[in-house]
Amino acid sequence: MHSQKKARFYVKGLQFECTKCGKCCTGFPGFVYLSESDILSITKYLKENIGRFLIKYTKNVSLFHENRYSLIEKPNYDCVFWDSLCTIYPARPYQCRTYPFWKKHVVSEREWEKAGKFCPGINRGIVHSKDLIENFVQNIPGYAIRKFSSDFKKD
Ligand code: SF4
Ligand code: SF4
């Protein structure tokens, strides 16, 4: 049995530079799950009370029997925080900060190229190292689940 890990296709890193086209933030329904630390950062950035933030900007969605918070969308399915650009960019959620280096996109070269058909920033510009990509994939924060809401609402 080989003890060495299988070499990743991105051992030399992957190129990505956001063109700010907004495609991933607009125009179709999706989920932007929030971790506890996302909620804390965004509310700090917006100077918003946590309970009010959760009511105004999030919905509860069920995933693998967990009730998570996800950002709501506008009627045209743009993210609630999209206004020609991300209006909470410095405090944007982990899911947004780590795109497109999500496990499902870096699992194989084929999946990465497939993601590149959607996102024009893929395979362009800055090279992101293997370590950074692995760090993104491996250190996904625990997503905030509904049971935290009563604590948040005391704020
Ligand atoms: S689709 Fe890609 S290039 Fe366009 S805003 Fe999203 S991350 Fe940036
Ligand atoms: S929070 Fe910002 S980066 Fe994330 S989907 Fe919304 S507009 Fe896009």
Side-chain angles (χ1 to χ4, degrees), residues 19-69:
T19 65
K20 301 194 165 50
C21 70
K23 247 170 106 179
C24 60
C25 307
T26 61
F28 62 93
F31 298 110
V32 179
Y33 299 117
L34 301 173
S35 69
E36 235 179 301
S37 79
D38 289 332
I39 293 171
L40 295 173
S41 314
I42 300 169
T43 49
K44 194 169 164 206
Y45 183 73
L46 294 174
K47 298 186 176 58
E48 178 68 282
N49 166 284
I50 292 174
R52 264 202 308 272
F53 166 80
L54 292 174
I55 291 166
K56 251 166 92 177
Y57 298 112
T58 72
K59 60 188 171 187
N60 273 121
V61 291
S62 184
L63 188 80
F64 306 127
H65 308 294
E66 263 186 16
N67 285 303
R68 296 185 182 186
Y69 292 101

Side-chain angles (χ1 to χ4, degrees), residues 16-25 99-100 118-122:
F16 166 68
E17 201 170 328
C18 180
T19 65
K20 301 194 165 50
C21 70
K23 247 170 106 179
C24 60
C25 307
Y99 181 82
F118 172 81
C119 166
I122 287 179

Side-chain angles (χ1 to χ4, degrees), residues 2-149:
H2 295 286
S3 57
Q4 236 183 341
K5 270 197 196 166
K6 217 173 115 188
R8 300 271 182 210
F9 79 95
Y10 55 81
V11 67
K12 291 187 177 155
L14 289 172
Q15 270 183 297
F16 166 68
E17 201 170 328
C18 180
T19 65
K20 301 194 165 50
C21 70
K23 247 170 106 179
C24 60
C25 307
T26 61
F28 62 93
F31 298 110
V32 179
Y33 299 117
L34 301 173
S35 69
E36 235 179 301
S37 79
D38 289 332
I39 293 171
L40 295 173
S41 314
I42 300 169
T43 49
K44 194 169 164 206
Y45 183 73
L46 294 174
K47 298 186 176 58
E48 178 68 282
N49 166 284
I50 292 174
R52 264 202 308 272
F53 166 80
L54 292 174
I55 291 166
K56 251 166 92 177
Y57 298 112
T58 72
K59 60 188 171 187
N60 273 121
V61 291
S62 184
L63 188 80
F64 306 127
H65 308 294
E66 263 186 16
N67 285 303
R68 296 185 182 186
Y69 292 101
S70 180
L71 293 180
I72 55 167
E73 292 145 344
K74 297 178 185 175
N76 63 358
Y77 294 122
D78 289 0
C79 172
V80 66
F81 289 119
W82 178 262
D83 185 11
S84 303
L85 44 73
C86 174
T87 56
I88 56 164
Y89 192 81
R92 68 200 186 286
Y94 186 85
Q95 187 179 318
C96 307
R97 274 187 286 124
T98 57
Y99 181 82
F101 302 113
W102 296 351
K103 194 174 176 183
K104 65 175 182 179
H105 297 319
V106 299
V107 71
S108 68
E109 194 163 6
R110 190 161 167 264
E111 289 304 314
W112 178 249
E113 295 304 328
K114 214 162 99 187
K117 291 199 167 71
F118 172 81
C119 166
I122 287 179
N123 293 332
R124 160 189 192 279
I126 300 160
V127 176
H128 298 261
S129 72
K130 169 179 154 286
D131 286 353
L132 179 120
I133 296 164
E134 285 187 343
N135 185 40
F136 279 164
V137 172
Q138 283 162 13
N139 294 311
I140 298 171
Y143 285 99
I145 58 174
R146 200 175 193 151
K147 69 176 181 179
F148 291 117
S149 66

